[in-house]
Amino acid sequence: MHVQEINSILNKESFTRNELLTLLQANDLQSDMLYKRAQLVREQHVGKKVFFRGLIELSNQCKKNCLYCGIRTSNSHVKRYSITDEEVLSAAIFAWEHGYGSIALQAGEKTSSHFTQRITQLLRKINKATRGELGITLSLGEQSIATYKQWFDEGALRYLLRIEASNRELYAKLHPQNSAHDFDKRIEALHALRNVGYQVGSGVMVGLPFQTLEHLVDDLLWMQEMDLDMVGMGPYVEHADTPLFQHKEMLLPAMQRLELTLKMIAILRIAMKDINMVASTALQAIEPHGRERALKAGANIIMPNVTPGAYREDYNLYENKPKMSDSNADYTKTLEESVVMAGFSVGYGEQGNAPHFKRRSN
Ligand code: 5AD
Ligand code: SF4
């Protein structure tokens, strides 16, 4: 593939399957062209600001058993925790006081009415303590429509639910075959969230065993078809205490999984100009500056972990998950410096909702 051919693809507004495949196969030089183009689109459509979402990992208790995930219910090596309401509240206040416009509440999947009520109460308390100024994102798995509504009515704005792999056959290789891990139900959940009124986020893992470039092309087309407001894509990182670990010899080297993720981010930025896209923590697990590289490829969101330090060790979705304390003022400064070094600024005190959502709600 010649430089001119890549250039002519990059100047298009939308890509065919073949063009997407070509872009995913870009060599280093061509990738740089791809990132430059993505950067231009990003500047024009979402600007040069990076928004922080303080991530609070409420609990690592999960009823599901995804084959790739370190905190799956069958992993008995995990010390299960649930942080107290006071701890959640003080993490939220930390984020708010440091000018993070938003927080994200994340936990393993739980569907008891006790859990639903607890989140409802927490949303109320957080909004009261922060004058309703924080944009609150939920990442709490598949729930009933009534639950989505209840949380939305308490002021949650956004919901993240990754499809993980949009190809049905690949999805089936990553999950147990039962109704708790049903592909169609997950898609339905995404539609339900949108109908309730949330800004909806989804995304996939990149570099999974059994995953081909064709699958990644499917993912790119699927995300466009779903008209998502937010996307989170990260490299798959193996975890020794999971069933998928047995296929580790099929994997691309970690660095290549990272590069492929950057290409996915850049391509999607060009194709879905005004969405929010996160520079995921999993990138950082592979390379210390992975997140900054994602910003340069078109991502515009960072989720600094503000979970109390004592629990960090136990939210191990994958190996090498960074454990250092993001939740101190110094770290916010360091992170800001790295954002500025990468050529951007931090959107302090702003929720930073995706222009895409505003556009589609008009
Ligand atoms: N590698 C990378 N990402 C993972 N996740 C779970 N397990 C892994 C892993 N082994 C991601 C999933 C999930 C998010 C919370 O973490 O995409 O949606
Ligand atoms: Fe639970 Fe999410 Fe891990 Fe699946 S990926 S086991 S739902 S925490």
Side-chain angles (χ1 to χ4, degrees), residues 24 206 216 219-220 233 260-268:
L24 286 174
V206 180
L216 291 173
D219 290 337
L220 289 164
M233 292 186 280
L260 202 49
T261 307
L262 297 177
K263 288 184 201 173
M264 289 288 285
I265 291 173
I267 296 168
L268 202 67

Side-chain angles (χ1 to χ4, degrees), residues 68-69 106 162 164 205 235-237 317-318:
Y68 44 82
C69 177
Q106 187 171 79
R162 285 192 183 175
E164 316 294 358
M205 286 180 283
Y236 164 69
V237 184
L317 300 168
Y318 43 82

Side-chain angles (χ1 to χ4, degrees), residues 319-354:
E319 287 172 356
N320 288 324
K321 190 164 169 277
K323 305 236 166 45
M324 81 294 190
S325 183
D326 295 8
S327 60
N328 61 53
D330 290 350
Y331 183 75
T332 305
K333 268 267 150 274
T334 312
L335 194 59
E336 178 185 336
E337 278 162 22
S338 72
V339 167
V340 170
M341 281 281 285
F344 305 98
S345 65
V346 179
Y348 284 119
E350 291 176 61
Q351 288 191 350
N353 294 306

Side-chain angles (χ1 to χ4, degrees), residues 6 63 70 177 196 224 267 271 279 360:
I6 292 281
K63 65 175 199 184
Q177 303 308 299
V196 170
Q224 292 174 66
I267 296 168
R360 77 169 169 88

